[in-house]
Structure formats: structure tokens, C-alpha cells
Amino acid sequence: MTDRKERLDRLKSGEIFDLLVVGGGATGCGIALDAASRGLKVALAERRDFAGGTSGRSTKLLHGGVRYLEAAVLHRDRVQFNLVRDALHERGVLLKIAPHLCQRLTLVSPLYRLAQVPYIWAGLKFYDLLARGAGLGHSRYLSPSEMLRRFPQIKGEGLKGGVLYYDGQFNDARMNVALALTALREGAALSNYLEVVGLVREKGRVAGALVRDPLGGASWQIRARCVVNACGPSADLLRRMDDPTAAPLLRLSRGSHIVLPGKFAPADTGIMIPKTEDGRVVFILPWQGMCLVGTTEEPATAGTTPVADDKDVDYLLRHLRRYFNLTVDEGDIMARWAGLRPLVHDPYTADTAELARDHVISCSPTGLITIVGGKWTTYRKMALDTVDFAVANMGLAPTGACRTDRIMLHGGKGVEEQGATALAKRFKLPPDVALHLHGSYGTLATDVAQLCQGELGDRLVPPHPYLKGEVLYAVRNEMALSPSDFLERRIPLALLDQRGAQIAAPVVLEMMAQELGWSQVRVAHERSELSNLLEQG
């Protein structure tokens, strides 16, 4: 692993890259990996941290999108149909190339109207059919008694049964970091905390960008034959940097989530509420030993930090109480947070819930390529399409074709199903710690465990399985540069237990300050930033 100075030195070297990717979320890192693995020279600049925006605050599902399939069938919408088909294929690919970060998840949907039973069962059978060889198991009908036996929390009054089906679940932020590290391994030059502050033009064409390092203060140009705008919710802001009159491509939606203690969800099964009071979908999912509930869908604005407000929380709690025999209130909430979804703009659609999650690639008159829309599950297809577009339209000369469907992501090669058991035995680890290390680092978990000896093997905050030594590993090997990088994205503690993250914060801050040689001014700044993050959610 190269350190930050070495990575920045390459970006400062004056090398002319084939592609400069702006944005280090799932799509941007996916593009960098795809292009670099084809033999192209690639640079990437991310103004915050990898997965610091939308890509780190998803509902943690790898799914085709049952709701989109319903829209495709009812409205004969080929765009939605293709999205579901592609997503189901991509779900299978991701389970294969990142087996440590992705797993199959059983889901059930309770049904309270007889008319729903054949309708939803038939829809999920069609879902199975579309998945074809990438299917994870056959959906089936559950009788009311079987539903109540499996999920005694569900309200039995009026219950007509349920449908069981399968999708995927994953660790989104760590997946994003794995993409960045894999792109680096394939030869890409990339950095987080590197902000694009202007575009460079040559003969009226975009030929690179002016970047600024907010940590070191330096600014310089990165030249490239092609610049790709993969900024997610901020994509329109970069487009207006290129052309102040550019019409918006996006409408933004805020999706809020709450996290409850694990007792509120079955340990191995999620629940989908297929039709809420406003026609949306809510999931109640087991996640990292806790219960994740989401999501809302409210209009949002670019450039603002999304927050799960009281209205969003009330909405989610109301639906929990409506469908479950649970006494749950705000006092049970361990964490609350929100993310932005960049939805392709349609001036004739009033409701963001009706907008397709398909992606759109556009090219400005100056040659700025923009990729918007899509969703986590289809990031690889979005990257493939974007690189293909750049090659076809920008005169790039790759040495090979796309092969990201078989490149194992960082830590994924050689992962064994019983790896956690072997890890626990070798290093005398508690089972929950071994499961966490295996599920976060894959085959690299042994490196982490070797580092976490002595005091570094202590838990950051019991009962969570995260160890003090992971702080140093994240700094030295995973490009973590701030306490929030670690507490929210290298481990998910800040999204699981905000109080626990507040307890762990001083230790993390002290360890990172010592490891990175921070001044007192920098320490004060990081303490303030971390306090704001953990207070707002």
C-alpha cells in the first residue's frame, strides 16, 4: 500500500492520464477499477472520503428491486424491467467477487389482503425467473401460522400469510473502500480528500481539472484526455462548473434510516413492507447484530448534509407499530442517519418515488462525461457502460476488454466459508470478533488480527466487536485520514450506535493523532468535526 504522499506525488507528476474520474463513491471507484484493469491510465479525486456520501448510507441491500418490477409490469415500462434484470445479474456478480462483504439474505413480506397473495407471489416468482442462473433460492408462500411461528412479532389480526424470497445484503462502505483499493492495485492513481475546484480547458475542450488538497493546502492541475463526472448527488454542481447554464440532470431524494437493538429483528431474516400508507416500501433488516429500519423518500437539495429529521423517524416508527406487536419509541433508537439518492430528472414526475433508478450517461459540448442515476447494485454495469462510452467517444486505446465481473475485490480472493472459525482458533478471538474481522477484511483478516495484539486487541467499546488495532490498520492500509472515516466507514459503529461511537471517539482521535503526527490545531478541528457528525446522525 502506497502512502498518501506517494499517491499525491503521482497525481502531481504532470503525467497525462487517459481518464480523470471525479468522485470516489461506488460508481467513481468502479469506473477507476474498470478503466485501470483495461490498461488505461486513470486518476481519481474524491473531495471527502470514499463512501463519504450516498454510497456509505444505503439500505445495505443488493437487490433487483421488487418495487421496480411491479412498475415494469403494470406500466409496461421497459426501462424499469431492464433495471431489475441487470440488477439481479449484478447481484450475483457481487456475491462472487466480494464474498466476505456480501451474503444472501432471506426476506419475507406479510400479506393482509387476500387479493395480495396471488399478485405478490406471482411477482416474486417472476423475480426468480429474471434472476435465472444468478438466483439465490426460490420464493414461496407462507401460511399465516407459519408466518407467526417464524415471526411472532408480526401482528396476526387479519394476516393472510406471507411470501418468502431472497436477495443480497452487504457492507456498503467497506465495499466502496475495497473498490478503491482494488483500483489502486490495478494501477489507478487515486486519493480521497482531494477536491476539484476548477476544470482545465484546452482548445475549448475539458482537458483536466484544478485540484486542491485541503489537508496540505497545495493546488495543482491534473491533465487527462477525458474527465468523468461521477459525483453522485453533486453531479449537477460539476456540470455547472463546466457550463453555468446546464439544465439539471438530477432530482435528489433523502432516505432516512433508524437503527434499533437486535431484538427488534429476526437474526437472519429481513421483512419488507410492500405498501406503506404512501405507496412506498419499508424494510426491517438484521444488520451487524442490530435492526435497521428504512427508508423514507423526501425531496432534498444538493450541497446539504442529509439528516434524519423527526418527521422521518416518526414515519418509520409508525410503520413498525402498525405491522408489529412491538413497544418501540424514540428511546430505543441507537442511531439515525440519512443519505441522498441521485435520481434521474423527469420534469413530468412529481414524486421521487416514481423516478427510475436507471443510469444515464451524457457528454457536454466541451467533452465532460457525466454518469448519473443507478443504484449500488448496478455500480459495475454503470462503470462498464461509462468506460465503453469514453473509449468510443474520446479516442482512448485500452489494451483489453472489461473483466470486472471476475476481478476479486480487495480481501475477497480465497475467502473460505469457515474462515471466522479458523481465525478464532488461531488467534484465540471471541466468536463475534472473529466474525467481524472475517466479514470485514476477508483473507486479510489475519493481518489485522496479527496487528491487534496486547492492548491493541482490546475492544474500542464493549459489547461491539471492533478492536483498537483496527484504527492503525485503517490508517496504514485503508487510506483513513480522519476519525469519522474510521468510525463510520472502515467500521460502521457511528451508524449502529451513536452513543457507543461517542465513547470510542477520544481513543480513536488520540491514536490517529499520534500515528499521523497531527498538530493541536488539527486535533481540535477533528474533534469538532467528529462531534458534529455524532450529534446530528
Side-chain angles (χ1 to χ4, degrees), residues 127-146:
Y127 197 64
D128 294 346
L129 181 64
L130 279 178
R132 296 184 180 179
L136 302 179
H138 296 295
S139 59
R140 63 188 181 91
Y141 170 75
L142 301 178
S143 68
S145 59
E146 190 174 2

Side-chain angles (χ1 to χ4, degrees), residues 61 380 439 478 489 537:
L61 287 173
R380 197 195 67 86
E478 296 184 336
R489 291 175 288 279

Side-chain angles (χ1 to χ4, degrees), residues 455-478:
E455 291 184 358
L456 293 179
D458 292 344
R459 296 176 190 249
L460 273 170
V461 53
H464 297 289
Y466 314 117
L467 306 181
K468 290 181 179 178
E470 290 182 78
V471 179
L472 299 184
Y473 188 85
V475 172
R476 295 171 184 175
N477 299 280
E478 296 184 336

Side-chain angles (χ1 to χ4, degrees), residues 318-333:
R318 188 163 66 249
H319 283 88
L320 274 173
R321 298 185 193 110
R322 180 171 300 172
Y323 286 92
F324 301 94
N325 292 311
L326 297 174
T327 302
V328 56
D329 56 35
E330 286 198 40
D332 295 303
I333 296 174

Side-chain angles (χ1 to χ4, degrees), residues 374-428:
K375 60 179 186 172
W376 236 118
T377 311
T378 57
Y379 86 85
R380 197 195 67 86
K381 176 69 163 55
M382 295 165 67
L384 186 160
D385 290 347
T386 304
V387 177
D388 280 351
F389 183 93
V391 168
N393 292 275
M394 298 296 172
L396 306 182
T399 58
C402 176
R403 53 187 181 92
T404 53
D405 60 342
R406 51 193 183 277
I407 294 176
M408 299 299 290
L409 296 189
H410 191 74
K413 187 176 182 179
V415 167
E416 297 179 357
E417 190 172 341
Q418 299 302 316
T421 302
L423 197 69
K425 183 177 180 180
R426 178 178 172 183
F427 292 98
K428 297 181 174 54

Side-chain angles (χ1 to χ4, degrees), residues 23-29 46-60 170 172-174 176-177 192-193 230-235 252-255 257 301-307 337-342 376 484-485 488-490 495 533 536-537:
T27 305
C29 287
E46 161 56 47
R47 68 185 178 95
R48 292 187 295 180
D49 185 31
F50 305 111
T54 294
S55 295
R57 294 189 165 210
S58 75
T59 312
K60 323 301 179 187
F170 76 130
D172 55 2
R174 288 208 61 84
N176 201 152
V177 172
N192 49 352
Y193 295 97
C231 294
S234 299
L252 303 184
S253 167
R254 184 184 73 242
H257 302 76
T301 304
T304 60
T305 301
V307 175
W337 40 271
L340 294 179
R341 297 192 194 94
W376 236 118
S484 61
D485 294 350
E488 185 174 318
R489 291 175 288 279
R490 305 310 183 272
L495 299 186
L533 169 74
Q536 71 181 11

